[in-house]
Amino acid sequence: MKHIFKQGEQGKPVFLLLHGTGGNERDLLPLAEMLDPSYSVLSVKGEVDENGMARYFRRLREGEYDLEDLKFRSQELYDFIEKSAKEYEFNLENLILVGFSNGANMAINLALRDEAPFKKALLFAPLYPLDLKDNHKDLTNFEVFLSMGEQDPIVTLEQSKRVIEIFKERGAKVHETWVNSHEITQEAVIKARNIL
């Protein structure tokens, strides 16, 4: 998969950067610098093309995911992360999921995988409108920062609250902050930094 790996200080965690719709593997590099420039970075470009815009999985329409494609793409990305951990010599448990919009949605999917050992996620403008009654992942050792928009034109308040519930229902430690819209703000980044 098209990606950038930037080696940080030995023994420090690794940010997995997942961009929003229409972004690329360079989009969130400044965010990683603001969060902690000493961490390593694995930034991956989504391989789905939606009208010329890169995404991590297909959707049927706004807010409605192509579940078969999500399953396939999630497996593909997880396999790539495992391969990258061997190639770049980092521990999967030291990987911190960092996503914006479509990237945040894919990060939620990765965090909910039974085999995923991830312990932390920083998610900006997430949306996950899926029925998860068959998912019983124990997230008691998981910490997540959620930045959500009160006036987000894409994600409703109800949908944002559902994302909070997904993590709380599974025992995760949740830190939430509210911004204005579908965005990454400096204030949210400063708050996200506190859980690192």
Side-chain angles (χ1 to χ4, degrees):
M1 297 179 85
K2 194 168 184 192
H3 70 285
I4 292 169
F5 183 79
K6 186 167 113 355
Q7 181 65 55
E9 289 177 23
Q10 207 60 42
K12 288 280 184 88
V14 181
F15 288 131
L16 174 71
L17 303 181
L18 301 173
H19 62 76
T21 300
N24 61 41
E25 69 281 13
R26 300 195 171 277
D27 273 24
L28 298 185
L29 294 177
L31 173 61
E33 279 291 309
M34 286 171 71
L35 287 167
D36 195 319
S38 70
Y39 286 20
S40 294
V41 168
L42 175 63
S43 188
V44 185
K45 185 178 180 188
E47 297 200 314
V48 170
D49 184 316
E50 181 181 274
N51 304 318
M53 299 184 296
R55 282 177 56 84
Y56 291 99
F57 57 88
R58 283 193 195 95
R59 57 185 169 182
L60 305 174
R61 60 190 64 80
E62 191 83 62
E64 193 178 335
Y65 301 168
D66 180 330
L67 298 182
E68 280 305 306
D69 191 65
L70 174 59
K71 191 175 171 186
F72 171 76
R73 301 287 175 179
S74 170
Q75 185 64 57
E76 187 179 53
L77 180 56
Y78 191 79
D79 291 345
F80 175 75
I81 295 164
E82 283 191 315
K83 190 178 126 214
S84 298
K86 291 191 184 90
E87 185 180 342
Y88 299 118
E89 298 177 346
F90 63 84
N91 188 325
L92 277 183
E93 287 188 12
N94 282 340
L95 194 80
I96 298 171
L97 306 166
V98 181
F100 170 62
S101 193
N102 179 241
N105 308 340
M106 180 54 103
I108 293 171
N109 184 281
L110 290 172
L112 291 174
R113 294 178 70 91
D114 284 335
E115 72 275 33
F118 312 128
K119 300 271 194 291
K120 268 185 189 160
L122 310 175
L123 307 179
F124 300 83
L127 169 67
Y128 211 69
L130 302 187
D131 180 354
L132 295 173
K133 66 177 184 292
D134 295 329
N135 182 289
H136 306 292
K137 177 78 182 272
D138 179 1
L139 293 176
T140 46
N141 294 317
F142 192 82
E143 194 169 9
V144 61
F145 171 83
L146 301 171
S147 171
M148 297 156 295
E150 290 176 326
Q151 311 291 326
D152 192 324
I154 298 168
V155 187
T156 66
L157 269 175
E158 197 178 290
Q159 287 170 325
S160 289
K161 286 174 181 168
R162 176 66 192 124
V163 171
I164 297 167
E165 280 171 26
I166 286 170
F167 288 105
K168 284 191 172 171
E169 283 167 358
R170 289 161 180 77
K173 185 173 183 185
V174 178
H175 307 263
E176 60 185 90
T177 195
W178 293 87
V179 298
N180 181 44
S181 190
H182 201 78
E183 60 193 338
I184 299 175
T185 67
Q186 190 169 4
E187 182 193 359
V189 174
I190 291 165
K191 287 181 179 173
R193 239 177 10 211
N194 293 335
I195 78 159
L196 297 176

